[in-house]
Amino acid sequence: MHVQEWLETVPAVSIYALVGVVIGLESLGIPLPGEIILVSSALLASQHGDIDPVILGACATAGAIIGDSIGYAIGRKGGRPLLAWLGNKFPRHFSEGHIATAERSFEKWGMWAVFFGRFIALLRIFAGPLAGVLRMPYWKFLIANVLGGIVWAGGTTAVIYYVGVVAEAWLKRFSWIGLVLAVCVGLASMLVIKRKAKQATQTARQPVAEPEPVPAAD
């Protein structure tokens, strides 16, 4: 069966559930391709009327918020031993270097590290559990978690959905060149946000310069 024909047979509720579960598990701290699943599903929604982009975005947002909240609770209860255990199970994602980088980001940016962490794959996995381990006040975590989930999940769904709609129309009129241009323009806003978040993370990595000693007076 052709791939396009097979996708048309997949019930919309299965797409909603897949997006919510994968993003929820990734936000909880399990390394999964949540962003890839979300982008693919939003693009699929633009081509199939049975998939409602509003419901899709809502499921993605709910998965992100709930997953991060569970990760926070697990991190708060597990503490440092949890990070050590994750480092043994997932050394590629939870290495000491990655954990140290994430910790510096949290120390420098606080609740904003949770918000902007949504747009960076590494921090998206760390945000919930690490906020719990560092015992960030829950009300601060919740505000950043909810806002970040809405902006990232809802915004990504909206951007990719409309890119897909425009790309399909352009493809019918102007050939594949229209598709390339539509994708480039549509993804530009996402890249700007991701770049700003990455710059914030790199700034947090830089060591703080120690003050020079003052010579003793004669």
Side-chain angles (χ1 to χ4, degrees):
M1 183 181 296
H2 193 274
V3 175
Q4 189 77 5
E5 296 176 353
W6 178 80
L7 289 175
E8 292 176 355
T9 65
V10 178
V13 65
S14 300
I15 302 296
Y16 302 146
L18 176 65
V19 169
V21 170
V22 171
I23 291 179
L25 291 176
E26 182 191 37
S27 301
L28 188 152
I30 299 176
L32 291 175
E35 190 170 46
I36 295 176
I37 294 295
L38 178 59
V39 169
S40 301
S41 300
L43 191 59
L44 181 62
S46 69
Q47 309 298 320
H48 300 281
D50 293 338
I51 302 176
D52 190 329
V54 176
I55 298 178
L56 182 66
C59 290
T61 301
I65 295 173
I66 294 173
D68 243 13
S69 297
I70 296 175
Y72 174 91
I74 294 175
R76 192 174 182 88
K77 184 176 181 179
R80 295 284 176 177
L82 173 64
L83 296 180
W85 180 83
L86 289 173
N88 293 329
K89 292 293 183 180
F90 307 102
R92 180 180 176 184
H93 298 86
F94 290 91
S95 66
E96 293 183 2
H98 288 166
I99 293 175
T101 298
E103 282 189 286
R104 286 194 292 269
S105 298
F106 269 72
E107 291 173 357
K108 184 175 180 64
W109 301 102
M111 61 187 293
W112 291 110
V114 178
F115 178 85
F116 287 111
R118 279 289 170 198
F119 303 91
I120 304 175
L122 177 62
L123 286 181
R124 190 160 56 245
I125 298 172
F126 274 118
L130 190 56
V133 170
L134 298 179
R135 296 191 174 275
M136 175 184 291
Y138 183 70
W139 68 269
K140 289 186 177 182
F141 170 79
L142 183 61
I143 292 174
N145 179 26
V146 171
L147 292 178
I150 292 174
V151 174
W152 175 72
T156 299
T157 302
V159 169
I160 298 301
Y161 174 80
Y162 286 111
V163 165
V165 171
V166 172
E168 185 180 24
W170 283 21
L171 187 60
K172 291 179 180 179
R173 295 180 183 180
F174 305 110
S175 78
W176 62 271
I177 298 179
L179 175 61
V180 174
L181 292 176
V183 171
C184 291
V185 172
L187 294 179
S189 59
M190 290 179 58
L191 292 177
V192 169
I193 296 177
K194 291 172 76 72
R195 184 182 303 171
K196 289 183 177 296
K198 186 176 181 180
Q199 289 174 350
T201 304
Q202 291 175 344
T203 302
R205 293 180 182 179
Q206 297 177 358
V208 179
E210 296 182 358
E212 297 182 0
V214 179
D218 294 335

